[in-house]
Amino acid sequence: MPNDNKNNTSDNEEENELEELLDLAEQGDSKAQSDLFELAQKGDSKSQIYLAHYYYKTDLDNKKEAILELLELAANQGNADAMNILGEFLYEIDKHDKAEIWFKEAAKHSHKEALRNLGLHYHDNGNNLEEIFKLLHEAVENQSEETSFYIESINYDIWKESNGLDQD
């Protein structure tokens, strides 16, 4: 068990260092930009996510392909955060079918935001309300924030459907 805590501490420290590097890069620090790029080029999935985030915040119009490439690289390494973020980005650029694939992949890892995103995607597309409810409920069980509102909304839709009322 001590190793788990050490790994969590190590992960938190790495996350903090990457956040600091991202902040500096966004402020125009060329060394931080270079360091972030080098880490991502070495194949570190978290650094790839952070570099994609940097491109998103600073040069979205010119870096869409680079963002997709970085997120795909990280997602293909099994990084559930990258899978979900890739799904969100694909959804944002109207590639909903591809987004659904990545939300499903991240949901297989019980990724709470991906479960919520998949449920919302299904809801937006008029899918089975009970399946949507199941996904959102699982997201709540995994301590996802923002999901309780959606569950109440889905419950209301299920109630309306079961009582033969129009869904508006």
Side-chain angles (χ1 to χ4, degrees):
M1 287 292 175
N3 287 342
D4 289 340
N5 289 337
K6 185 176 183 179
N7 287 340
N8 287 339
T9 301
S10 167
D11 286 345
N12 288 339
E13 289 173 5
E14 179 185 4
E15 201 79 28
N16 289 339
E17 288 173 11
L18 285 170
E19 285 179 18
E20 288 176 25
L21 196 58
L22 177 63
D23 287 343
L24 290 171
E26 287 176 351
Q27 294 171 17
D29 184 316
S30 59
K31 178 164 178 8
Q33 293 166 354
S34 176
D35 289 349
L36 189 58
F37 182 81
E38 284 181 32
L39 288 169
Q41 290 296 89
K42 289 180 181 177
D44 178 64
S45 66
K46 289 181 182 179
S47 297
Q48 291 165 338
I49 294 169
Y50 276 85
L51 183 58
H53 180 80
Y54 168 72
Y55 288 157
Y56 183 86
K57 298 275 275 193
T58 61
D59 197 12
L60 176 62
D61 291 335
N62 296 314
K63 296 290 188 175
K64 285 182 184 173
E65 291 303 316
I67 293 168
L68 284 171
E69 182 180 329
L70 287 162
L71 292 174
E72 285 175 356
L73 285 169
N76 285 324
Q77 292 180 57
N79 186 313
D81 287 332
M83 293 172 191
N84 181 63
I85 294 167
L86 177 56
E88 290 175 338
F89 186 67
L90 288 164
Y91 207 84
E92 184 177 317
I93 60 173
D94 293 326
K95 295 185 178 186
H96 297 183
D97 290 341
K98 288 183 179 182
E100 180 180 344
I101 292 167
W102 285 107
F103 290 148
K104 284 180 179 178
E105 286 300 311
K108 288 178 187 175
H109 297 276
S110 298
H111 191 278
K112 61 188 177 183
E113 285 89 12
L115 290 163
R116 182 195 70 228
N117 288 335
L118 185 58
L120 294 175
H121 168 71
Y122 285 166
H123 185 261
D124 290 346
N125 290 295
N127 291 65
N128 181 304
L129 290 173
E130 289 184 25
E131 178 65 20
I132 296 165
F133 180 78
K134 180 181 143 198
L135 285 166
L136 293 176
H137 185 69
E138 187 175 342
V140 168
E141 286 178 351
N142 285 302
Q143 302 173 353
S144 175
E145 298 174 8
E146 304 175 24
T147 308
S148 296
F149 168 77
Y150 297 114
I151 287 183
E152 289 177 24
S153 174
I154 300 303
N155 273 334
Y156 180 67
D157 287 348
I158 291 171
W159 176 83
K160 283 173 46 176
E161 187 176 272
S162 66
N163 288 294
L165 302 173
D166 289 332
Q167 291 191 19
D168 295 319

